[in-house]
Amino acid sequence: AAGLTLLLAATAAQAGPTALDRFKALEGTWVAAEDGPMVKKGQPVATYHLTGGGTAVVEELFAGTPHAMTTVYHRDGNDLVLTHYCMGGNQPRMRAKPTEGNRVSFAFDGGTNLDPAKDEHMHAATFSFLSADELRSEWIEHAGGKPKTTVSMHLTRKNDAKEGKGGSTMKYLLLIYQDEGSWAGLSEAEQGKL
């Protein structure tokens, strides 16, 4: 029985980092895969970037619009958690349930500027990682203590290189700095990541 308990504890400890790694892999710009109520196919919806030395993932939704929102994903011990900075002025926190295949589901775990029994707020979220370049998410909004609305998003990774965009500005800047000797310590592989 002690061996089984140890195995279960080790398995639980691996769930947090594995789930966070899935979100880290989203780094970049994501566009709508199909027309929806707030966006048309191909329009930018979300960007993901790492912060805190790679310990957290920042998701920016609908940047530059009145619907702009930010969600931060990070570990809390062995758990993956998120804080959603909503356009409604509240900040629900959610904790991931055990990962099921390609799905990571979150459940409400408190928040600020909201009373979950009364106020509208995001209460749950599920992410389905369909491939390295395709993602579906569902956010469930509660009001009056019960489900009110489900917001679904189907996103694909924007591939700037395939479209002939992006990267060239960074490479140009890299060349300028190389000429001044500022990048002398970077290997070619490191330079290729810029």
Side-chain angles (χ1 to χ4, degrees):
L4 179 60
T5 303
L6 187 58
L7 177 61
L8 290 175
T11 302
Q14 293 172 358
T18 301
L20 180 59
D21 288 342
R22 289 179 186 222
F23 284 90
K24 286 181 178 182
L26 297 175
E27 192 168 24
T29 301
W30 292 73
V31 298
E34 55 198 51
D35 289 346
M38 295 175 65
V39 293
K40 297 291 182 205
K41 182 177 180 177
Q43 288 183 323
V45 175
T47 59
Y48 295 87
H49 68 272
L50 302 179
T51 192
T55 63
V57 178
V58 177
E59 171 190 67
E60 299 285 346
L61 289 172
F62 310 114
T65 74
H67 305 290
M69 295 175 276
T70 300
T71 304
V72 179
Y73 305 85
H74 63 91
R75 289 188 55 213
D76 179 17
N78 290 329
D79 294 337
L80 178 63
V81 296
L82 69 78
T83 302
H84 176 67
Y85 298 88
C86 190
M87 67 181 190
N90 55 46
Q91 300 80 33
R93 291 185 308 270
M94 298 181 206
R95 189 168 297 274
K97 300 174 185 178
T99 303
E100 298 176 9
N102 70 342
R103 293 168 49 110
V104 177
S105 297
F106 292 86
F108 185 75
D109 192 37
T112 54
N113 293 324
L114 64 94
D115 177 346
K118 296 188 258 179
D119 298 329
E120 288 186 26
H121 65 281
M122 290 300 176
H123 197 81
T126 299
F127 293 81
S128 297
F129 297 84
L130 304 177
S131 75
D133 297 321
E134 187 176 8
L135 173 70
R136 285 189 183 269
S137 66
E138 287 189 345
W139 291 78
I140 299 172
E141 181 182 38
H142 275 211
K146 53 188 172 187
K148 175 186 175 190
T149 305
T150 299
V151 178
S152 298
M153 289 185 276
H154 181 198
L155 306 177
T156 56
R157 186 183 303 273
K158 181 178 179 184
N159 188 341
D160 286 337
K162 190 165 46 173
E163 296 172 17
K165 301 177 187 173
S168 60
T169 302
M170 253 329 231
K171 289 176 185 171
Y172 179 70
L173 289 173
L174 179 61
L175 290 172
I176 291 171
Y177 286 116
Q178 280 180 321
D179 289 343
E180 295 176 4
S182 300
W183 292 95
L186 289 180
S187 70
E188 285 187 36
E190 290 169 325
Q191 293 172 16
K193 292 179 183 177
L194 294 177

